[in-house]
Amino acid sequence: MKLGILACLAVILTTEQALAFTCHLSVETTVFTDGPCQYEEDVDGSFRFTDAKSDRIFVYVNMNGDGTAQGYWPGPAGGTHAHDNLGILPRSGACWVNELSRVCAWR
């Protein structure tokens, strides 16, 4: 019984932790999200987030071996596939930024 309760608490905490992030995505001069998001991170530092208001706005940031990352998103109309390339993104604090894109996630 205690083990079942602990397992339930772990799931609840994991979900709350995923939603306890603030995210930002801007491309060129347009801000597509700047607020609560659902965030997931991989062991290598790659991450993805989805806007809390729209599951059609999301981003994948995949770590490269040189400390930069490659970003993808569904494009300005939103969608279900991250097919638009955001380019190589060097890290700047809680953000990954290049001349056209800014992807940020923080607690």
Side-chain angles (χ1 to χ4, degrees):
M1 174 85 167
K2 288 182 183 179
L3 186 57
I5 292 170
L6 289 176
C8 288
L9 285 174
V11 170
I12 291 168
L13 289 175
T14 302
T15 302
E16 287 178 0
Q17 289 170 348
L19 294 174
F21 274 79
T22 300
C23 297
H24 174 93
L25 170 63
S26 56
V27 180
E28 295 180 347
T29 60
T30 303
V31 175
F32 290 93
T33 185
D34 190 26
C37 66
Q38 187 168 16
Y39 175 91
E40 297 176 20
E41 186 172 327
D42 298 330
V43 294
D44 70 349
S46 298
F47 66 92
R48 62 210 144 276
F49 68 72
T50 303
D51 182 85
K53 297 175 193 164
S54 171
D55 63 357
R56 296 181 56 82
I57 300 295
F58 59 93
V59 66
Y60 286 86
V61 176
N62 301 321
M63 293 301 300
N64 296 325
D66 63 358
T68 64
Q70 185 76 39
Y72 298 93
W73 75 306
T80 59
H81 296 85
H83 50 70
D84 281 14
N85 190 342
L86 294 171
I88 301 293
L89 300 164
R91 187 171 187 168
S92 177
C95 299
W96 299 85
V97 182
N98 63 21
E99 55 280 347
L100 296 176
S101 308
R102 181 177 202 78
V103 179
C104 309
W106 62 94
R107 283 189 188 266

